[in-house]
Amino acid sequence: MRQQFAELCSIPDALGKGTVSKLLMAHKWLPSLLTELYEHHSSEDLNLLSSQLLHSEQSASESAVSESLDAGGADATATGARWDSSSCVLIAYADTVSAKDQPGLRCLQSLLQKHFNGLSSVVHVLPFLRSTSDGGFAVASHEEIEQRFGDWNDLAALAEGRQLMADLVLNHISASHPWVRAFLKGEQPGSRCVLAAAPNPCWDNVVRPRSSALFTTLATDRGPETVWTTFGPDQVDVNWREPEVLLGFTRLLDLFVSYGVQWLRLDAVGFVWKQPSSDCIHQPQAHRLVEVLRLLLESRCPQGVVVTETNVPEQENLSYLATGSEAHLAYNFPLPPLVLEACLSRHADLLNSWLARWPQLPQQTGLLNFTACHDGIGLRPLEGLMESERLLQLLKQCEQRGGLVSHRRLADGLEVPYEINISWWSAMAAPGRDPSHHQRARFLLTQLLLLALPGVPAFYLPALLATPNDNARFRISGHRRDLNRPQFQLDRLARLLADSESDTSQVVVSLQQAMAVRRGQAALDPFAPMTVLSEGRSDLVILQRGEGPGTLFAIHNFSDVRLSFPLSTLTNSGSVWHDVLNGHSLVEGQTALDLEPFAVHWLTR
């Protein structure tokens, strides 16, 4: 059954009829998936649940079909491609930008419209629902947007002319959420939505992302009761064995889609299912839940995209893409620490070795390639990829640049490094007296590498604004991740972006130009083949993208010295080379390319 489902999921939608096919697919496969989640429920109950999950979107789906057919079908729908070489994700909090008497979503919209054309085809607005902590990830309401961000109409306005990505925070809710309040009072059905458990030895092997207590005791009307708090005491785990939880998140999905959200980020999805005497991560039911959410999204939005966020070792992360019926995209978590280490050590050997093993993925799936994000730079993805001494040097180099290291607790109580908290701009600083030496070149090298890889590039807005560690915010909050969660005044940003000499302006303009080039190069299509020509080297990363006459070679100098690169390395035949990234042709007969420190060149014949 799983293989048949995967094959159906990979079939491109045709000429606007995708909504019908996805709706029929959902009706066919959803009951069997629900059986795997809720094995103790009768088939009658599960058929009723399936109908409830699909009922709310039927009229909207029928309307979408009619509109699509009237319009002759959108290009993306006709080809089945959910993303192409013009696609990139811009990541930002709803209050990253502010102005007097203006809600955050409107300020963000104003900034993007004026200054980020080409870099914001998809905008990931980090959690914007009312919350109580953890940068919005302790969600207190599945119905209300945080007041200072604006309202649902502001979200819909931001969606005009672009696609929106929003978070489903699946593992937990705020201790102030209505479900937790219902749990305290014993009111149904909300009380069943909270995951209660008495601590006992069967939970000794639980994999933890934090060093806080796994369980928290709450004072209920029935007396003290213990609940799961995997991510901290203000983030109470939900009980996915209860169908009401799925119904609640489906109502939130409907709300998202009705206001323009097409991409879903499934936050910490690997932790959602707790099985006694297991490690409680990546359980089979977690994978089935991803399939269910994909079906529900596609039945409402045929070109919708499900993105899984699992900051874990590489093969665990890729498991959500392996069947072709779960996620469309997965965050490429090994990439940030490997790129960072290559830049700081000026040795790209580990990065080259890893790139040479780029995974073969099912059709219509891919990786979301990023360096900076709102969280720290995850270290679990380095397990098995970097020896401990080299990792230790990386941690020291980041601390020298003002970064901090957060830890998680193992089952035996030992705490180990979990992530590096540092702004990407500060991480690119040079050692010694002049931190700005080659800083912009290093930064652009790392971001341009994203554009040369298969998949979809993603940029974190504060990083593109060339922002150093926000030490002032960290001192106020005490939260290490706040080093990399700065906020800006809209008028100040406008001045920086208008100053052609500022690092902010230089970075944004350079990446806009690179994205424009990427859009015109078939070799840089997200699904075009990639060959690594630099395996075994530590100075350069050389990627061959595409095949035949349109082949493109992306050359990255990860060293801090000038190099002469023999062009015969790329081809034996005489060629006139054009550097499409930097906009000039090489001299006919030229046999070598001079590479400045941290330079990037995209060569075509």
Side-chain angles (χ1 to χ4, degrees):
M1 184 193 77
R2 185 77 55 227
Q3 183 177 357
Q4 290 175 314
F5 182 36
E7 289 171 353
L8 282 171
C9 286
S10 68
I11 296 173
D13 298 325
L15 298 177
K17 298 178 182 178
T19 308
V20 173
S21 63
K22 297 299 184 182
L23 186 56
L24 292 174
M25 188 190 301
H27 277 292
K28 181 175 182 179
W29 295 108
L30 187 56
S32 60
L33 290 172
L34 294 176
T35 300
E36 297 184 49
L37 285 176
Y38 308 117
E39 57 183 10
H40 299 300
H41 291 255
S42 68
S43 58
E44 291 80 5
D45 287 344
L46 295 182
N47 284 328
L48 176 60
L49 175 60
S50 178
S51 296
Q52 288 177 292
L53 294 171
L54 294 171
H55 175 74
S56 61
E57 42 68 33
Q58 286 184 24
S59 60
S61 296
E62 292 164 1
S63 174
V65 171
S66 175
E67 291 176 7
S68 182
L69 291 174
D70 289 344
D75 291 340
T77 304
T79 63
R82 288 175 166 82
W83 55 85
D84 58 26
S85 57
S86 68
S87 302
C88 68
V89 177
L90 187 67
I91 308 166
Y93 276 103
D95 61 350
T96 295
V97 187
S98 62
K100 187 176 181 181
D101 300 326
Q102 289 290 319
L105 287 169
R106 278 186 224 166
C107 293
L108 181 60
Q109 181 190 20
S110 176
L111 179 73
L112 299 186
Q113 283 182 334
K114 293 178 182 177
H115 301 288
F116 281 84
N117 290 329
L119 293 176
S120 58
S121 63
V122 181
V123 175
H124 175 200
V125 186
L126 289 156
F128 47 80
L129 296 171
R130 186 166 60 81
S131 68
T132 52
S133 64
D134 195 25
F137 286 91
V139 177
S141 170
H142 285 157
E143 299 175 353
E144 303 171 53
I145 289 181
E146 193 74 49
Q147 188 173 4
R148 70 181 186 277
F149 298 163
D151 56 29
W152 290 102
N153 290 327
D154 292 317
L155 187 72
L158 183 61
E160 293 179 7
R162 59 177 63 89
Q163 296 174 301
L164 285 189
M165 176 156 69
D167 291 88
L168 286 184
V169 185
L170 296 172
N171 181 75
H172 48 264
I173 50 177
S174 164
S176 300
H177 190 278
W179 286 345
V180 178
R181 295 202 303 269
F183 178 81
L184 298 177
K185 296 177 181 179
E187 297 174 350
Q188 303 300 340
S191 181
R192 299 195 303 269
C193 297
V194 170
L195 188 60
N200 62 61
C202 73
W203 305 118
D204 286 348
N205 296 320
V206 173
V207 170
R208 299 298 317 285
R210 298 285 187 273
S211 57
S212 56
L214 180 59
F215 302 105
T216 298
T217 300
L218 301 180
T220 76
D221 290 354
R222 306 171 298 285
E225 292 203 19
T226 302
V227 297
W228 282 74
T229 51
T230 302
F231 283 77
D234 189 40
Q235 292 166 289
V236 178
D237 292 18
V238 298
N239 177 21
W240 278 100
R241 284 183 167 83
E242 170 54 50
E244 181 62 31
V245 171
L246 180 55
L247 285 167
F249 276 94
T250 302
R251 289 190 289 269
L252 176 57
L253 170 60
D254 284 335
L255 194 57
F256 278 173
V257 171
S258 67
Y259 285 97
V261 173
Q262 298 182 50
W263 289 39
L264 287 182
R265 177 184 182 270
L266 305 186
D267 177 67
V269 66
F271 295 93
V272 297
W273 200 272
K274 280 72 175 179
Q275 193 71 24
S277 302
S278 78
D279 58 8
C280 295
I281 189 170
H282 313 309
Q283 296 298 303
Q285 294 87 346
H287 289 276
R288 300 298 80 76
L289 178 59
V290 176
E291 289 183 274
V292 167
L293 292 172
R294 171 169 167 166
L295 273 179
L296 295 179
L297 174 62
E298 290 185 341
S299 66
R300 291 152 168 81
C301 178
Q303 293 304 114
V305 174
V306 171
V307 187
T308 45
E309 185 271 338
T310 52
N311 188 359
V312 292
E314 183 174 22
Q315 292 309 310
E316 297 176 35
N317 183 43
L318 294 176
S319 69
Y320 293 88
L321 297 174
T323 66
S325 61
E326 297 180 44
H328 300 100
L329 289 167
Y331 278 75
N332 196 353
F333 275 109
L335 185 60
L338 285 171
V339 170
L340 178 62
E341 196 277 338
C343 254
L344 298 190
S345 70
R346 302 180 300 283
H347 287 86
D349 52 329
L350 293 183
L351 177 60
N352 272 321
S353 296
W354 174 76
L355 287 170
R357 301 190 304 272
W358 194 265
Q360 296 296 313
L361 301 174
Q363 288 185 350
Q364 304 302 315
T365 67
L367 292 168
L368 191 71
N369 299 311
F370 71 107
T371 54
C373 73
H374 63 290
D375 287 340
I377 299 162
L379 298 176
R380 288 212 65 203
L382 288 180
E383 293 176 15
L385 299 178
M386 186 179 294
E387 61 272 21
S388 57
E389 180 57 35
R390 198 153 169 177
L391 173 59
L392 180 60
Q393 290 303 314
L394 172 62
L395 300 182
K396 288 180 178 179
Q397 289 173 320
C398 288
E399 288 179 335
Q400 291 168 1
R401 291 162 170 81
L404 299 169
V405 180
S406 294
H407 294 74
R408 70 184 184 99
R409 185 173 297 159
L410 301 181
D412 59 5
L414 180 68
E415 293 195 0
V416 295
Y418 178 70
E419 67 179 23
I420 302 169
N421 302 114
I422 191 171
S423 89
W424 197 262
W425 183 256
S426 290
M428 294 296 104
R433 289 178 152 183
D434 183 9
S436 66
H437 185 59
H438 292 318
Q439 186 175 22
R440 187 193 302 164
R442 279 192 190 88
F443 181 90
L444 286 172
L445 165 72
T446 64
Q447 305 311 296
L448 290 169
L449 176 64
L450 303 182
L451 302 188
L453 295 172
V456 179
F459 303 109
Y460 183 45
L461 179 58
L464 296 192
L465 297 173
T467 310
N469 295 325
D470 193 340
N471 293 303
R473 191 173 187 197
F474 166 65
R475 283 194 295 268
I476 293 172
S477 71
H479 298 303
R480 296 182 176 206
R481 286 180 171 177
D482 280 347
L483 279 173
N484 192 31
R485 294 178 176 177
Q487 295 173 311
F488 307 89
Q489 290 294 317
L490 183 58
D491 56 354
R492 176 177 174 272
L493 282 184
R495 289 194 295 271
L496 277 174
L497 290 162
D499 178 4
S500 61
E501 298 301 315
S502 71
D503 287 319
T504 300
S505 176
Q506 291 273 337
V507 165
V508 170
V509 170
S510 294
L511 291 176
Q512 283 175 324
Q513 292 172 345
M515 275 299 300
V517 173
R518 185 177 191 260
R519 284 193 292 272
Q521 294 294 320
L524 294 178
D525 181 89
F527 301 101
M530 177 178 76
T531 302
V532 178
L533 303 180
S534 48
E535 189 174 8
R537 298 188 68 146
S538 62
D539 52 353
L540 301 179
V541 171
I542 309 168
L543 307 178
Q544 176 182 325
R545 294 296 313 280
E547 297 173 324
T551 299
L552 181 144
F553 298 91
I555 304 169
H556 311 79
N557 183 4
F558 271 83
S559 76
D560 59 354
V561 297
R562 196 180 191 204
L563 300 175
S564 179
F565 174 70
L567 294 170
S568 59
T569 304
L570 304 181
T571 179
N572 293 324
S573 61
S575 299
V576 175
W577 293 98
H578 185 59
D579 184 347
V580 293
L581 178 62
N582 300 296
H584 60 82
S585 295
L586 277 62
V587 177
E588 187 172 358
Q590 184 174 337
T591 60
L593 177 67
D594 291 331
L595 303 176
E596 296 297 325
F598 307 107
V600 180
H601 298 267
W602 291 351
L603 299 185
T604 62
R605 280 176 280 193

